Amino acid sequence: MSQRLLSDALAHADLIHGRPEINAAIIELGANIDAELDGEVPVFLSVMQGGLLFAGALAMSISTDLLFDYVHATRYRGELSGGELHWIKKPGVELRGRIVILADDILDEGYTLRAIREFCIERGAKKVLIAVLCRKNHGRIAPGIRADFCGLEVPDRYVFGFGMDFHEQGRNLPGIYALREST
């Protein structure tokens, strides 16, 4: 996809959350996670690719030591709507008996996060905490999934920026944008 596609998307989008608001939310999430961990060293799994920017910023806001790895599973593969879950990389560190933090960009319907959480539990994690930058405001959430830590709410529109993509573009935008609803 070309840069023009992203420029066209930005021309038809609203800035929902700017960088200062995102930074403040991440700092608060880090403090809340520290309180929950009570000094225990968790496995910190970045959910790729969307969770990369958020996970890096979040990790810097957590004062507790972390054991890092990542997981890459996707239902989107560059598309606007999800399909079957495709595993690209499973975590390589031992999860048995550990607290696991899944750090992802957004909790939309939650099917991918639910599958990753179930994988961690099957591998013996004693507790899996889900930290997301954003939660989409709608009622279509997968049964049995919720974020333990959520920074920001976003509207039920297509959102991109700060890790979230528009046709694999715009992940590095410093704000979060939502396409305007068609009129």
Side-chain angles (χ1 to χ4, degrees):
M1 295 289 159
S2 70
Q3 182 64 32
R4 181 166 181 197
L5 181 65
L6 180 59
S7 296
D8 289 346
L10 285 167
H12 296 94
D14 300 312
L15 177 64
I16 302 301
H17 298 291
R19 185 67 184 261
E21 187 178 3
I22 293 168
N23 289 344
I26 292 170
I27 289 168
E28 183 177 342
L29 286 172
N32 292 338
I33 290 170
D34 275 328
E36 174 77 20
L37 294 174
D38 194 31
E40 187 163 346
V41 178
V43 174
F44 186 89
L45 295 179
S46 304
V47 180
M48 301 300 266
Q49 297 192 94
L52 176 65
L53 296 178
F54 167 63
L58 179 61
M60 299 298 288
S61 294
I62 297 172
S63 60
T64 304
D65 195 22
L66 304 168
L67 176 60
F68 291 94
D69 201 348
Y70 72 97
V71 61
H72 193 168
T74 182
R75 293 177 52 240
Y76 291 89
R77 301 177 91 181
E79 301 299 320
L80 294 178
S81 60
E84 182 179 327
L85 185 70
H86 177 71
W87 285 92
I88 297 168
K89 197 261 186 204
K90 295 178 180 177
V93 300
E94 178 64 44
L95 303 180
R96 182 163 309 287
R98 305 291 301 265
I99 292 176
V100 174
I101 298 173
L102 299 177
D104 203 1
D105 54 355
I106 189 167
L107 176 57
D108 188 341
E109 292 181 355
Y111 291 99
T112 302
L113 274 172
R114 184 176 70 180
I116 295 169
R117 183 190 67 200
E118 289 171 0
F119 172 86
C120 293
I121 291 167
E122 289 169 3
R123 295 301 186 271
K126 73 176 177 181
K127 186 177 195 179
V128 179
L129 300 171
I130 296 174
V132 296
L133 176 59
C134 302
R135 178 177 39 232
K136 195 173 274 191
N137 191 6
H138 62 60
R140 297 183 308 276
I141 193 85
I145 191 73
R146 68 174 182 81
D148 299 287
F149 304 96
C150 176
L152 303 164
E153 295 283 332
V154 295
D156 189 15
R157 292 161 47 192
Y158 191 90
V159 292
F160 60 99
F162 210 88
M164 297 169 278
D165 73 289
F166 181 79
H167 293 286
E168 298 300 327
Q169 298 289 308
R171 289 187 192 277
N172 62 320
L173 291 169
I176 299 171
Y177 297 82
L179 288 179
R180 291 185 195 107
E181 297 179 37
S182 56
T183 55

